Amino acid sequence: MRLKFSPVLAALLLSGCAPVQSVVNPVQLPAATDFGAHANPMEWWYVSAYLPGEGLALHWAQFRVQDARLPAALMISHVAVTDLRTGQPTFLEQPAGTGEVASPPLRLRQGAWTLTQAGPEPTAPLALKAGPLELTLTPVKGPVLHPPGYSGSAETGVLFYQGITRLDLSGTVNGRAVRGQAWLDHQWGNQIPGRSALWDWFSVHLGDGRDLMVYRVRRPDGGVAQLIGSVVDADGRARAVPGLRAEPGEVWTRPSGRAYTLGWRLVSDEFDLGVRVVRREQELLSRSTRIAYWEGPIEVKGTWADGPVTGTGMMELVSGPWTP
């Protein structure tokens, strides 16, 4: 029997009307290989890719929400594809419903959308089939736990943060053959997006084989609750970024009044990087989660240890609740 969920209840749970639950201990960190489902209010799996050679940017997200008011875990999913040559974006959503999570090997399913791992090994290839996406994702590096192992704070709620920062991507998007590199994230805990926390997030594949993640968690009043960064070196080892600063620049304001900071300078004891968005019109208004966010491709350029460096990646900026 397929359970039916109230779309309004589902949206309220994801957009933050559920209370933050104290069920996460950031001192007891999970394994980097822990891809399966957890008994926490909020969890998601996320794949993103900027494919400069193909003129495409894309992301897929599978949310899983648990609450005492629901008879079973709730699943919601998003797919966004932007054709950068035509400027045509596509944003698809699967509304709240039941689904499947199993691991290892990892298997996620909501309706016809699936992410399936070929074997129990953490670096086994994954097949993603979701709307216009039919992709094979083959890890180039192993899973990592991003230092300090979680995003957020006691006041915003905490999400454990684990994933694979570089995967070879091949397959089709809207039937068109594509190749490139992707990024996979997995987070879970008691942080409620849009209500208890907002954020600015950057994932960058650098040309020298390093991967950079920067995460700025904001309180609803706009104050910064946490700023973290990690570098995954070419050999797959993850380490914290020392002396990190994220300096905001150009702000883009929508007619609605929602504002997104599209210009950034990322600075640390090791690097000084400027961030440039490839396309400004990347705001997404989710009816299933009732959250407004900006998600799109970026290019970075600057210095690392006094040498020049460039990179490409994705940026996500969460504005907050949105009412259709």
Side-chain angles (χ1 to χ4, degrees):
M1 177 179 70
R2 180 178 174 81
L3 298 174
K4 294 185 180 296
F5 296 96
S6 160
V8 174
L9 173 59
L12 290 177
L13 289 170
L14 263 175
S15 64
C17 289
V20 173
Q21 302 178 39
S22 300
V23 295
V24 174
N25 182 356
V27 176
Q28 297 177 343
L29 297 179
T33 55
D34 191 356
F35 282 97
H38 299 83
N40 295 107
M42 182 64 59
E43 185 161 18
W44 65 73
W45 297 259
Y46 166 94
V47 171
S48 68
Y50 170 34
L51 312 176
E54 309 288 356
L56 289 173
L58 60 92
H59 79 270
W60 159 90
Q62 178 67 68
F63 302 95
R64 184 174 186 267
V65 180
Q66 296 191 93
D67 188 272
R69 290 166 287 181
L70 298 175
L74 174 155
M75 305 281 275
I76 291 174
S77 46
H78 294 175
V79 167
V81 177
T82 300
D83 186 328
L84 298 166
R85 295 170 181 171
T86 65
Q88 181 62 43
T90 301
F91 183 48
L92 305 175
E93 303 180 79
Q94 288 202 115
T98 54
E100 174 189 355
V101 182
S103 181
L106 178 62
R107 175 176 170 78
L108 305 174
R109 179 190 59 79
Q110 186 187 357
W113 293 7
T114 60
L115 179 70
T116 307
Q117 197 165 25
E121 302 83 8
T123 54
L126 300 115
L128 174 60
K129 297 183 179 181
L133 309 179
E134 291 200 18
L135 303 173
T136 297
L137 306 168
T138 304
V140 176
K141 302 178 182 180
V144 297
L145 195 65
H146 289 283
Y150 61 89
S151 69
S153 64
E155 60 184 334
T156 64
V158 170
L159 294 170
F160 291 125
Y161 189 10
Q162 166 258 348
I164 299 174
T165 60
R166 194 175 292 231
L167 307 94
D168 284 336
L169 175 155
S170 63
T172 62
V173 176
N174 284 317
R176 179 179 131 202
V178 297
R179 301 188 69 87
Q181 293 192 318
W183 182 291
L184 169 65
D185 273 347
H186 178 211
Q187 292 189 257
W188 67 97
N190 61 9
Q191 188 185 108
I192 308 299
R195 175 67 177 262
S196 69
L198 310 172
W199 59 80
D200 310 306
W201 172 86
F202 309 79
S203 66
V204 181
H205 291 138
L206 295 161
D208 60 8
R210 284 178 288 206
D211 305 322
L212 172 66
M213 186 284 299
V214 172
Y215 208 146
R216 197 176 82 137
V217 181
R218 293 177 280 121
R219 297 185 297 271
D221 65 5
V224 177
Q226 182 197 42
L227 175 64
I228 59 172
S230 65
V231 176
V232 181
D233 289 319
D235 62 5
R237 288 181 294 181
R239 54 189 176 84
V241 173
L244 178 63
R245 303 197 313 274
E247 301 177 357
E250 178 197 6
V251 175
W252 179 61
T253 303
R254 305 292 294 131
S256 64
R258 289 185 296 271
Y260 299 92
T261 301
L262 300 187
W264 292 86
R265 182 183 174 208
L266 305 178
V267 184
S268 78
D269 295 346
E270 298 181 54
F271 56 76
D272 187 337
L273 304 172
V275 176
R276 183 188 74 85
V277 301
V278 177
R279 184 176 182 273
R280 298 165 65 90
E281 298 280 350
Q282 290 291 126
E283 184 186 44
L284 302 174
L285 301 177
S286 169
R287 291 182 176 274
S288 59
T289 64
R290 296 195 175 189
I291 293 175
Y293 65 106
W294 190 101
E295 180 101 12
I298 56 174
E299 296 178 347
V300 303
K301 183 178 181 180
T303 59
W304 197 301
D306 297 325
V309 67
T310 60
T312 60
M314 295 287 283
M315 179 171 73
E316 182 177 86
L317 313 171
V318 175
S319 171
W322 167 73
T323 302

